[in-house]
């Protein structure tokens, strides 16, 4: 077999794999959106869920998903960005750095159900937070932190070395160079990674089953006191998210329209995850074009 034939065979195999993956993705998205999009209306998005009656919505679950996402990013983004800066600019080869890198790799490969069990043991029971939004956010921070660390480190390392050396040659300190040169230049990549990780967190269910809980109180959206039990901003209440709601409806639902609720909820979840992914591409490309002067 000559090189041209082997090259054509390898190319054909790669193209076939790409076509199979794209076709599978299109089929799944099409199936979910086709079955669920017809169920989405303002009443479905703005009404409370029901345990046994027909016509329930996803208002509280949708709010809980965004609230837990916000809390998670509040914890994970500063820690992840600072950790990535440390690994890219300050860490020196040695045992400590190897331990940190190994820890990041291990955390990034953990199944979400394991993170959920860890959160149940540490945050729910040991720290006494109970099934709550803050316990779920802390568990998702453990789940999300390695992604942001790696994205930040790779974005900073991708900046040309001469750009950093030019700043240092002017007598600017290392930290000031990192703050005013490297981080702004790496910002498009960091932002893209953060938005993509937000979409990943938004659709997470397994880790929240054991930390945020399977129920949510009837929230009073006129009461924004975070210390009230029915306040949407109370971080210490249980919170059933949209992804958990889908699992619960499919496994335990007894409503007459259980299939319609599950399909509509899944379609809403997919739409928001797609929005996160598309926004990451568009915003990251726009900011990169602005910084690089291509626009």
């Amino acid at each position: 077999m000559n090189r041209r034939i082997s090259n054509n065979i390898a190319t054909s195999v790669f193209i076939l794999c790409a076509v199979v993956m794209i076709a599978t993705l299109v089929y799944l998205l099409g199936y979910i959106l086709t079955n669920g999009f017809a169920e989405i209306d303002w009443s479905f998005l703005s009404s409370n869920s029901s345990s046994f009656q027909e016509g329930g919505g996803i208002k509280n679950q949708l709010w809980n998903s965004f609230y837990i996402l916000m809390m998670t990013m509040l914890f994970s983004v500063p820690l992840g960005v600072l950790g990535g800066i440390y690994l890219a600019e300050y860490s020196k080869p040695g045992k400590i750095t190897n331990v940190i890198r190994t820890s990041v790799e291990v955390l990034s490969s953990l199944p979400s159900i394991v993170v959920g069990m860890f959160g149940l043991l540490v945050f729910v029971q040991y720290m006494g937070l109970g099934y709550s939004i803050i316990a779920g956010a802390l568990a998702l921070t453990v789940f999300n932190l390695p992604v942001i660390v790696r994205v930040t480190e790779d974005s900073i390392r991708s900046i040309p070395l001469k750009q950093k050396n030019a700043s240092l040659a002017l007598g600017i300190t290392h930290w000031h160079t990192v703050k005013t040169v490297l981080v702004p230049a790496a910002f498009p990549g960091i932002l893209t990674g953060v938005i993509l990780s937000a979409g990943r967190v938004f659709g997470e269910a397994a880790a929240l089953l054991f930390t945020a809980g399977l129920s949510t109180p009837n929230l009073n959206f006129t009461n924004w006191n975070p210390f009230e039990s029915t306040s949407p901003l109370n971080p210490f209440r249980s919170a059933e998210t949209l992804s958990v709601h889908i699992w619960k409806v499919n496994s335990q639902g007894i409503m007459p329209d259980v299939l319609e609720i599950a399909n509509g909820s899944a379609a809403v979840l997919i739409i928001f995850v797609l929005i996160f992914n598309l926004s990451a591409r568009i915003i990251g490309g726009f900011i990169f074009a602005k910084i690089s002067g291509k626009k």
Side-chain angles (χ1 to χ4, degrees):
M1 184 181 295
N2 59 40
R3 294 181 179 179
R4 180 175 296 179
I5 296 175
S6 61
N7 179 69
N8 290 337
I9 293 174
T11 303
S12 301
V13 170
F14 293 144
I15 293 175
L16 178 62
C17 291
V19 169
V20 170
M21 288 189 295
I22 294 173
T24 303
L25 178 62
V26 170
Y27 173 77
L28 289 175
L29 291 178
Y31 179 83
I32 294 173
L33 294 176
T34 301
N35 287 278
F37 195 77
E39 310 299 331
I40 303 174
D41 54 24
W42 179 247
S43 175
F44 182 69
L45 297 175
S46 61
S47 59
N48 293 327
S49 61
S50 174
S51 300
F52 55 90
Q53 293 182 345
E54 187 176 357
I58 57 171
K59 178 179 71 173
N60 294 338
Q61 287 76 15
L62 192 58
W63 167 261
N64 290 337
S65 296
F66 279 106
Y67 192 29
I68 288 182
L69 172 62
M70 182 187 69
M71 295 283 289
T72 302
M73 304 314 285
L74 187 64
F75 293 142
S76 60
V77 170
L79 291 174
V81 170
L82 291 175
I85 292 173
Y86 171 78
L87 289 175
E89 289 297 317
Y90 292 96
S91 63
K92 298 179 180 179
K95 292 183 178 180
I96 296 178
T97 301
N98 291 336
V99 168
I100 295 174
R101 291 190 181 280
T102 302
S103 300
V104 171
E105 293 292 338
V106 170
L107 285 177
S108 64
S109 61
L110 283 179
S112 57
I113 192 72
V114 175
V115 176
M117 295 298 293
F118 171 80
L120 174 65
L121 177 65
V122 176
F123 304 129
V124 175
Q125 297 181 354
Y126 183 75
M127 295 180 62
L129 296 175
Y131 293 104
S132 61
I133 288 176
I134 192 167
L138 289 172
L140 290 180
T141 297
V142 175
F143 181 71
N144 198 38
L145 195 58
V147 178
I148 299 180
V149 170
R150 292 298 300 272
V151 167
T152 302
E153 182 185 2
D154 292 342
S155 297
I156 292 177
R157 289 188 181 276
S158 66
I159 300 172
L161 186 60
K162 59 184 179 181
Q163 192 169 341
K164 172 185 173 182
N165 291 338
S167 176
L168 296 174
L170 295 174
I172 300 175
T173 62
H174 190 188
W175 165 242
H176 200 69
T177 298
V178 170
K179 183 175 64 173
T180 59
V181 177
L182 299 183
V183 171
F187 182 73
I190 296 173
L191 180 63
T192 300
V194 168
I195 297 176
L196 289 174
S197 68
R200 183 186 182 204
V201 167
F202 189 83
E204 181 56 42
L208 296 175
L209 287 172
F210 300 97
T211 52
L214 292 170
S215 63
T216 187
N218 289 325
L219 302 179
N220 181 7
F221 284 87
T222 62
N223 180 10
W224 296 99
N225 183 357
F227 299 102
E228 294 288 339
S229 59
T230 59
S231 171
L233 295 180
N234 186 348
F236 298 102
R237 61 174 175 84
S238 61
E240 179 188 37
T241 62
L242 186 59
S243 54
V244 173
H245 182 64
I246 295 171
W247 173 84
K248 184 178 178 181
V249 167
N250 276 295
S251 60
Q252 304 176 12
I254 58 173
M255 302 82 75
D257 57 345
V258 59
L259 184 60
E260 289 79 5
I261 293 175
N263 289 336
S265 301
V268 171
L269 181 64
I270 287 295
I271 289 171
F272 277 109
V273 171
L274 288 175
I275 289 173
F276 281 124
N277 283 269
L278 293 175
S279 299
R281 305 297 180 186
I282 295 171
I283 296 174
F286 177 78
I287 294 178
F288 177 77
K290 282 289 186 181
I291 293 177
S292 61
K294 293 184 178 180
K295 269 192 177 180

